[in-house]
Amino acid sequence: MALRSTAKGWGPVARAFHWGMLLLFLGIIPVGYYMTDLPLGLAKLKIYALHKSVGLTLLGLAVLRLVWRLGDRRPTLPPMPAWQARAASAAHALLYVLMFAMPLSGWVYNSASHFPLQWFRLVNLPAIVGENKPLAALAKEAHEVGALVLIAIVVLHAAAALKHHFVDKDATLRQMLPSKGDRR
Amino acid sequence: MNTAPKPAQVLAALLLCGLGARAGAAPSYPVVAAQSSLSFVGTQQGERFTGVFRTFDARIDYAADDLPGSRFDVTIPLKSLDTKSTERDQALVTADWFDVAHFPAATFRTVGMRTTPGGVVADADLSIKGRTKRIVFPFTWKAASTGATLDARVTLDRLDFGLGGGEWADESTIGRKIDVIVHLTLAAPAPVAPAGKVNGKLPPKH
Ligand code: HEM
Ligand code: HEM
């Protein structure tokens, strides 16, 4: 089975990255909003640790995904207005930026507020900046605004995919879905 | 051979005994706050962190040849702790940890000093959060041209003092062992004045 994407559809690697990371995003974002309201305590510390571990996992996956994508091709788009194709490409580019900006702003915030950073209790990661309160506040702001932008873009991006599938009845979504159909 | 002591020797011996027995006879060294620190090292989520107590009062009376007359008496206002993390500092003063609202200060008082093969060791009562534990406190005393330095490092079990009980007792998130590191720079003892409390106020954060 070819791992790369073809003219007819996204390859299995691109699809695995896409849907696998979607699941992690669906987990980490609600956890992010939930955890901040918890009272100070061990539970809060543990949930934060989980959020950070998943976030770091997403950062690692984003690196691999980008590297893979740069060596991959994109399938031929079904016929659609040029603005839609451009908007889709812009959304994908922005999503890639956010895939890095989210975990990195989290990491900067964590480092600048002098908190430990452990990946699933297995390895500790170094601080990427020194203790710095103004920078911590800035990174926190970026992380919060970034989360809102991420949610907005994903909603638009998913809505567009569904519109192509159900209204235009074209292959856009099928090219990314893990079904046999349109791919070779 | 005449073994009977001369009257002068008897007098000298009596004087020495008298001096030795008088508590607090050892000179009292004022702490040079700017060059002294009281810090601790803990572990959180697999990472070591260091904290300091920015203020403490220490009375240090010491003479190597007068251990019974030597004593250390230290009071540490716990809200002066600083671990370089606002969140952690806020957590550490709550009831789960130091409970500063009910127990504002920790105290350290030596009850005796003795010479061991490894050097001089103090036995001391350490009180934190209303619990007192007798600890062994080995220290290094170095006389300087004026004054002296005192260095010590002891390892404590935070659970002995009820620090982080309950859900926090499990040490996978916060380690139980805490290293306490003492470094005091001491000025020359005041010639006659009675030993007084010295404020060990550290310079503010920058
Ligand atoms: C793709 C990765 C990530 C996503 C999508 C994400 C998402 C979120 C969201 C939605 C919130 C709640 C924001 C709010 O309260 O308005 C949040 C909070 C937070 N995140 Fe992340 N996060 C990610 C990675 C990370 C990483 C890697 C770290 C740390 C190394 C981290 C540390 C934090 C912290 C400390 C908070 C709490 C901020 C606060 O106190 O308000 N995040 N995150
Ligand atoms: C329910 C949610 C989602 C749906 C239905 C969906 C659907 C799709 C579809 C159909 C494509 C193919 C578009 C084309 O061929 O031009 C696609 C591509 C893409 N999607 Fe999503 N998506 C969702 C969530 C996400 C999320 C959460 C992210 C990232 C944070 C994301 C990032 C991307 C990227 C970067 C591409 C371009 C292909 C690549 O480089 O992997 N998507 N998505």
Side-chain angles (χ1 to χ4, degrees), chain B residues 20-79:
Chain B
R22 193 157 61 85
S28 192
Y29 290 80
V31 174
V32 182
Q35 293 162 39
S36 301
S37 63
L38 182 53
S39 46
F40 58 95
V41 179
T43 47
Q44 179 188 346
Q45 290 157 308
E47 221 163 274
R48 292 160 70 79
F49 68 91
T50 302
V52 295
F53 292 102
R54 305 203 142 265
T55 55
F56 53 92
D57 290 319
R59 172 182 172 153
I60 306 295
D61 296 355
Y62 186 71
D65 56 2
D66 182 14
L67 294 183
S70 300
R71 65 175 180 136
F72 305 154
D73 191 338
V74 185
T75 302
I76 306 138
L78 296 172
K79 71 169 186 332

Side-chain angles (χ1 to χ4, degrees), chain A residues 10 14-15 17-19 21-23 25-26 65 69 74-78 80 88-89 91-93 95-96 98-99 150 154-155 157-162 171-177:
Chain A
W10 295 97
R15 279 178 281 127
F17 274 128
H18 186 270
W19 299 112
M21 288 176 74
L22 168 68
L23 284 182
F25 276 109
L26 286 181
R65 180 170 176 179
R69 175 68 202 264
R74 76 167 330 297
T76 335
L77 277 180
M80 64 175 77
S89 296
H92 297 169
L95 286 169
Y96 271 107
L98 289 164
M99 280 187 253
L150 174 66
V154 169
V155 167
H157 167 82
L162 297 178
T172 309
L173 183 57
R174 267 176 287 138
Q175 288 182 339
M176 186 52 100
L177 284 180

Side-chain angles (χ1 to χ4, degrees), chain A residues 67-149:
Chain A
V67 168
W68 177 262
R69 175 68 202 264
L70 292 175
D72 200 16
R73 59 159 298 168
R74 76 167 330 297
T76 335
L77 277 180
M80 64 175 77
W83 72 266
Q84 284 184 13
R86 275 202 305 275
S89 296
H92 297 169
L94 199 54
L95 286 169
Y96 271 107
V97 170
L98 289 164
M99 280 187 253
F100 286 91
M102 284 310 293
L104 288 175
S105 58
W107 197 343
V108 168
Y109 173 46
N110 201 74
S111 306
S113 37
H114 201 63
F115 243 76
L117 185 57
Q118 207 177 21
W119 187 71
F120 293 110
R121 294 207 169 168
L122 295 172
V123 269
N124 279 86
L125 293 162
I128 46 179
V129 296
E131 190 219 3
N132 181 335
K133 291 207 164 69
L135 181 61
L138 194 73
K140 181 176 167 182
E141 194 67 27
H143 200 66
E144 289 174 358
V145 173
L148 295 177
V149 175

Side-chain angles (χ1 to χ4, degrees), chain A residues 25 28-29 32-33 35-36 48 51-52 55-56 58 102-103 106-107 109 117 140 143-144 147 150:
Chain A
F25 276 109
I28 196 174
I29 293 174
Y33 286 112
M35 69 185 190
T36 47
Y48 268 66
H51 176 87
K52 295 171 193 176
L56 291 169
L58 277 165
M102 284 310 293
W107 197 343
Y109 173 46
L117 185 57
K140 181 176 167 182
H143 200 66
E144 289 174 358
L150 174 66

Side-chain angles (χ1 to χ4, degrees), chain A residues 40-43 45-46 48-49 52 109 112-118 121 124-126 131 133, chain B residues 44-47 49-50 83-88 90-91 94 96 167-168 170 172-174 205:
Chain A
L40 213 61
L42 187 61
L45 217 61
K46 284 187 167 162
Y48 268 66
K52 295 171 193 176
Y109 173 46
S113 37
H114 201 63
F115 243 76
L117 185 57
Q118 207 177 21
R121 294 207 169 168
N124 279 86
L125 293 162
E131 190 219 3
K133 291 207 164 69
Chain B
Q44 179 188 346
Q45 290 157 308
E47 221 163 274
F49 68 91
T50 302
T83 69
K84 291 244 188 292
S85 160
T86 317
E87 293 81 358
R88 188 164 48 214
Q90 281 168 356
T94 62
D96 281 345
E167 58 176 17
W168 295 102
D170 164 31
S172 63
T173 304
I174 313 277
K205 288 194 210 194

